[in-house]
Amino acid sequence: MTQDARDEVDRLVAAWRAERPDLDVEPLQVLSRVSRLAKHLDRARRAAFAEHDLEPWEFDVLTALRRAGKPYELSPGALLRATLVTSGTMTNRIDRLAQAGLVVRRPDPEDRRGVLVTLTETGLARVDAAFADLLRREHDLLSGLGPADQRTLAGLLRTLLTPFDS
């Protein structure tokens, strides 16, 4: 897309400028586009996960385990921190993933009262396939930008997001 191309956000901003010239609607230039892109990303994510019989929450838990490296296991507490859900929610999710054969619980050898949640071979294969599919779809979403523009955009978005991650 060229710099001269207009999108729906340009039309939205022009309409608001005409209707409310007293307001600075400039944030819409960025944040409405981020919001619209997030909707496209959400659709792409859901499609990638569905293709591999996973719900978004299942993908989140499985990828947290996958990112941990071999032997692909974490404590339920570490999974809580990685996925930002309550302990009751995490217990339910682990139960459901275990019933599906994607994870197993095993005693923590370093804490007699603790357990570790480990990816099964099936879980590992499923999350790896879903992740590869997701990345293909995300590359497609970014195909209108070259590598340098993608790095620039990533840096600008990082600047905006960093205060929220603190």
Side-chain angles (χ1 to χ4, degrees):
M1 186 184 290
T2 66
Q3 292 287 42
D4 297 331
R6 293 179 52 81
D7 65 3
E8 185 59 31
V9 174
D10 291 320
R11 290 183 278 282
L12 180 139
V13 168
W16 277 118
R17 282 186 176 139
E19 291 299 314
R20 292 295 311 265
D22 58 310
L23 294 177
D24 176 8
V25 296
E26 202 58 28
L28 296 174
Q29 294 280 10
V30 173
L31 299 177
S32 289
R33 286 184 175 93
V34 168
S35 176
R36 288 168 184 261
L37 184 59
K39 289 175 186 171
H40 290 288
L41 175 60
D42 185 57
R43 281 189 211 115
R45 290 173 61 87
R46 289 180 182 279
F49 305 154
E51 208 166 287
H52 300 279
D53 296 319
L54 292 173
E55 293 292 328
W57 67 264
E58 292 172 309
F59 183 81
D60 288 345
V61 175
L62 297 176
T63 55
L65 291 166
R66 180 64 170 96
R67 287 190 312 268
K70 282 188 175 185
Y72 312 119
E73 64 185 12
L74 292 170
S75 68
L79 283 170
L80 283 175
R81 290 185 293 280
T83 59
L84 303 175
V85 297
T86 65
S87 61
T89 297
M90 182 54 66
T91 297
N92 180 271
R93 290 180 175 185
I94 293 168
D95 289 345
R96 291 172 64 187
L97 290 168
Q99 288 170 356
L102 301 175
V103 303
V104 293
R105 284 186 177 94
R106 68 177 194 86
D108 185 341
E110 296 179 21
D111 178 359
R112 288 189 351 202
R113 295 173 297 151
V115 298
L116 294 172
V117 180
T118 307
L119 272 179
T120 63
E121 286 187 28
T122 301
L124 178 62
R126 182 101 49 98
V127 73
D128 278 353
F131 186 57
D133 190 17
L134 174 62
L135 286 175
R136 180 185 55 77
R137 292 168 192 263
E138 288 183 352
H139 280 287
D140 289 346
L141 281 174
L142 292 171
S143 65
L145 296 176
D149 286 339
Q150 288 182 34
R151 285 189 298 275
T152 298
L153 179 58
L156 292 169
L157 292 171
R158 182 182 305 108
T159 299
L160 284 175
L161 286 172
T162 298
F164 296 103
D165 290 342
S166 302

